[in-house]
């Protein structure tokens, strides 16, 4: 059969893990239950002798984060594909199948979300191997998780029987209420739907041709007209927009009659809420009182709580608490009953209605050259901390509404202001007048840190005219 091509889906922006997961930097890129991010753990899990280099499906906002985290994890991608707009999983999976089929239509493809926790990579590889024979015979294999509790946050797969080994799928079941979930778990022939699929490229294309043929022309055109951009494959925008926004379940899977289910009984979580993070951390380090804390949190006389601080400057202390989740970042704090974990998305909706920046954005904004964060913001001035990676450079640019004063606090900056190039070292500063064409670079081997003071009538990130950019950006990325 040859090696399996893994396809990692990394374009989503979940809201149930707010305030750590936000639209600008969603949960797959955060280290929620270990030292590496969920995306990195997923990429490692789908590496090794069983797999080819992974294909990553993502969007333009996350392309540099994906590349950087793969490099940190030591995983070389086969391709990083940029979707011009989020169209759900159906067109993304078809695009991946068409890409693979252009080289070998019989090659097996494993599609997996990049935000799941599966600690036992060997057990998962064994399950994939078990399903590979069926996939090679033209079956679409989905993986069902043996449930250890009634869970209302997951969809289910109903099997014809409770027997072991791969079985044909009877039907998909939507997320149930508590009583229905309890009945299904007791029945023994229902598994959690992991949303992981294994198939040959030919089989998936044939499934679209039979059940969702309208996708074939626009997705193939988006691939045919795709352009290479700094090592990324950017799908063509116009044909991609013609593909319906739909999930693979609704577009194909619920209509197909060639689905088989492989049971996976190892530990698994999609980390669909803070209660899942609490449960996963307890699995790693059991506590008699059910208390989960991190290095910046302290629990006193608490029971069944999650206390977490993602801010280096903020300590969280809980006294006499039970069945609560307290999660703090530098600019937001969530306090909720554990039973309301699925309702955290309501907080995001409420904040968006108030036009609060915290709904979707972090104070720290990641860029391909490094990151910046706002330290102070008021009428006509803003103070930022900017960190530039070794060898990286910001674009050659100018501003219409603001001037800037830069103070280097660590490392060395090479600064271009109009026709003048200056090396600015620690404790030195330089002024960039309004309208001046300027660029900042880090020529050194360590990160360069500076403080930027902006003054002017408008301080938005879109006040930028870009002349040259090594990252081929067209907006204030």
């Amino acid at each position: 059969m040859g090696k399996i091509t893994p396809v990692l889906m990394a374009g989503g922006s979940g809201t149930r893990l707010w305030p750590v997961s936000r639209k600008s930097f969603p949960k797959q890129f955060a280290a929620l239950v270990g030292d590496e991010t969920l995306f990195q753990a997923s990429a490692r899990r789908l590496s090794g002798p069983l797999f080819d280099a992974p294909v990553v499906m993502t969007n333009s906002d996350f392309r540099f984060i994906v590349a950087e985290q793969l490099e940190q994890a030591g995983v070389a991608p086969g391709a990083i594909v940029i979707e011009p707009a989020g169209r759900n999983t159906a067109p993304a999976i078809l695009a991946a199948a068409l890409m693979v089929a252009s080289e070998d239509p019989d090659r097996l493809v494993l599609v997996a979300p990049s935000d799941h926790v599966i600690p036992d990579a060997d057990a998962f590889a064994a399950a994939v191997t078990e399903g590979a024979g069926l996939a090679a015979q033209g079956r679409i294999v989905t993986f069902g998780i043996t449930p250890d509790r009634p869970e209302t946050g997951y969809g289910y797969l109903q099997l014809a029987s409770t027997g072991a080994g791969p079985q044909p799928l009877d039907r998909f079941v939507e997320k149930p209420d508590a009583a229905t979930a309890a009945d299904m778990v007791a029945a023994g022939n229902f598994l959690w739907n992991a949303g992981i699929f294994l198939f040959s490229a030919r089989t998936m294309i044939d499934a679209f041709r039979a059940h969702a043929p309208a996708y074939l022309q626009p997705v193939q055109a988006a691939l045919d007209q795709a352009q290479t951009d700094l090592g990324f494959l950017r799908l063509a925008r116009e044909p991609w927009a013609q593909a319906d926004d739909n999930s693979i379940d609704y577009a194909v899977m619920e209509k197909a009659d060639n689905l088989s289910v492989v049971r996976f009984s190892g530990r698994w979580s999609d980390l669909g809420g803070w209660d899942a993070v609490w449960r996963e951390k307890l699995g790693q380090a059991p506590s008699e009182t059910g208390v989960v804390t991190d290095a910046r949190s302290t629990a006193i006389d608490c029971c069944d709580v999650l206390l977490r601080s993602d801010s280096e400057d903020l300590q969280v202390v809980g006294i006499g608490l039970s069945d609560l989740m307290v999660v703090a970042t530098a600019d937001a704090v969530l306090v909720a009953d554990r039973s309301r974990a699925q309702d955290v998305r309501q907080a995001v909706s409420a904040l968006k209605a108030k036009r609060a920046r915290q709904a979707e954005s972090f104070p720290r904004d990641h860029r391909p050259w490094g990151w910046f964060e706002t330290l102070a913001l008021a009428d006509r001035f803003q103070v930022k901390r900017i960190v530039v990676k070794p060898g990286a450079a910001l674009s050659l640019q100018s501003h219409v509404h603001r001037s800037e004063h830069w103070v280097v606090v660590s490392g060395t900056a090479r600064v271009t202001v109009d026709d003048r190039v200056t090396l600015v070292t620690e404790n030195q500063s330089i002024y960039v007048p309004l309208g001046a064409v300027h660029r900042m670079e880090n020529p050194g081997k360590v990160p360069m840190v500076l403080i930027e003071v902006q003054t002017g009538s408008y301080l938005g990130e879109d006040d930028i005219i870009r002349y040259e950019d090594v990252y081929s950006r067209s907006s204030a990325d």
Side-chain angles (χ1 to χ4, degrees):
M1 291 184 295
K3 290 188 175 183
I4 297 169
T5 298
V7 176
L8 277 172
M9 311 295 283
S13 55
T15 57
R16 289 177 293 176
L17 287 171
W18 184 89
V20 172
S21 173
R22 305 185 196 179
K23 182 179 180 181
S24 65
F25 199 81
K27 68 173 183 174
Q28 61 264 30
F29 303 120
L32 287 168
V33 296
D35 295 332
E36 61 183 358
T37 70
L38 300 178
F39 174 74
Q40 289 172 318
S42 298
R44 286 182 187 275
R45 185 167 57 250
L46 300 185
S47 300
L50 185 62
F51 300 105
D52 265 332
V55 173
V56 181
M57 306 294 296
T58 188
N59 61 47
S60 184
D61 291 341
F62 304 147
R63 66 193 189 279
F64 293 110
I65 297 172
V66 164
E68 182 178 11
Q69 292 203 356
L70 285 175
E71 182 180 6
Q72 292 170 350
V75 177
I80 299 176
V81 182
I82 301 173
E83 301 174 53
R87 309 300 292 165
N88 215 312
T89 55
I93 290 175
L94 176 58
L98 290 168
M99 284 180 59
V100 173
S102 67
E103 297 183 0
D104 180 2
D106 293 318
R107 185 179 301 169
L108 298 189
V109 179
L110 179 72
V111 174
S114 61
D115 56 0
H116 289 185
V117 175
I118 305 176
D120 192 340
D122 290 338
F124 179 73
V128 172
T129 301
E130 185 178 14
L134 289 168
Q137 297 170 19
R139 305 289 294 180
I140 298 175
V141 178
T142 184
F143 295 84
I145 311 301
T146 303
D148 58 10
R149 65 187 183 279
E151 175 59 62
T152 61
Y154 300 150
Y156 285 72
L157 306 171
Q158 182 176 0
L159 308 182
S161 72
T162 59
Q167 295 188 41
L169 175 68
D170 195 352
R171 67 184 178 105
F172 289 93
V173 180
E174 295 291 337
K175 295 176 182 178
D177 57 33
T180 303
D183 289 341
M184 290 193 298
V185 172
N189 64 322
F190 290 85
L191 307 176
W192 291 336
N193 183 5
I196 302 172
F197 300 100
L198 177 64
F199 48 82
S200 74
R202 185 195 305 276
T203 297
M204 182 54 64
I205 295 168
D206 288 345
F208 270 91
R209 188 172 290 115
H211 307 295
Y215 285 93
L216 290 167
Q217 188 278 328
V219 174
Q220 184 67 68
L223 272 172
D224 292 342
Q225 300 170 34
Q227 296 183 342
T228 301
D229 173 12
L230 293 175
F232 306 106
L233 182 67
R234 189 183 292 272
L235 300 176
R237 181 175 299 277
E238 290 187 10
W240 188 257
Q242 299 170 18
D244 286 346
D245 184 332
N246 205 354
S247 73
I248 190 69
D249 285 355
Y250 290 127
V252 172
M253 299 302 179
E254 293 188 354
K255 304 170 185 176
D257 60 1
N258 60 333
L259 269 71
S260 294
V261 181
V262 170
R263 184 187 296 264
F264 180 72
S265 298
R267 209 164 87 231
W268 169 90
S269 175
D270 74 343
L271 289 192
W274 284 113
D275 59 332
V277 174
W278 171 79
R279 193 176 294 111
E280 181 62 28
K281 296 290 283 186
L282 278 179
Q284 295 176 0
S287 164
E288 292 183 1
T289 58
V291 171
V292 172
T293 59
D294 63 5
R296 291 180 288 270
S297 299
T298 303
I300 300 172
D301 295 331
C302 293
C303 178
D304 295 331
V305 299
L306 170 67
L307 303 180
R308 178 186 176 111
S309 173
D310 276 38
S311 171
E312 297 177 358
D313 301 320
L314 195 153
Q315 292 283 327
V316 171
V317 180
I319 302 176
L321 304 179
S322 61
D323 296 312
L324 287 181
M325 311 176 297
V326 181
V327 181
T329 62
D331 63 337
V333 178
L334 168 72
V335 181
D337 190 279
R338 280 198 307 108
S339 65
R340 302 292 299 274
Q342 297 300 310
D343 296 329
V344 171
R345 63 181 65 185
Q346 296 180 19
V348 178
S349 298
L351 291 173
K352 288 174 67 175
K354 293 169 60 176
R355 297 185 178 180
R357 176 183 53 80
Q358 290 89 340
E360 296 185 332
S361 300
F362 283 99
R364 180 171 295 186
D365 202 328
H366 293 265
R367 293 290 193 257
W369 44 260
W371 55 267
F372 69 83
E373 62 183 347
T374 298
L375 304 178
L377 176 63
D379 290 340
R380 300 190 65 85
F381 83 88
Q382 179 172 204
V383 181
K384 290 181 177 180
R385 174 167 56 173
I386 298 177
V387 177
V388 183
K389 295 183 290 189
L394 282 68
S395 62
L396 186 68
Q397 58 186 257
S398 66
H399 308 296
V400 176
H401 301 286
R402 71 176 185 255
S403 60
E404 297 170 340
H405 194 136
W406 294 340
V407 181
V408 176
V409 296
S410 177
T412 299
R414 180 187 293 121
V415 177
T416 300
V417 179
D418 291 328
D419 296 329
R420 182 184 177 191
V421 179
T422 307
L423 284 178
V424 184
T425 59
E426 292 182 15
N427 298 321
Q428 293 183 332
S429 64
I430 193 167
Y431 177 65
V432 182
L434 185 150
V437 177
H438 60 281
R439 186 203 304 270
M440 180 197 312
E441 305 171 71
N442 179 1
K445 299 184 181 300
V446 296
M448 183 266 291
V449 183
L450 62 80
I451 300 298
E452 176 182 83
V453 180
Q454 302 176 355
T455 57
S457 59
Y458 177 73
L459 306 173
E461 289 301 313
D462 55 349
D463 176 22
I464 184 170
I465 301 172
R466 204 182 300 280
Y467 303 99
E468 296 177 7
D469 183 57
V470 297
Y471 307 108
S472 301
R473 295 168 297 169
S474 59
S475 61
D477 289 347

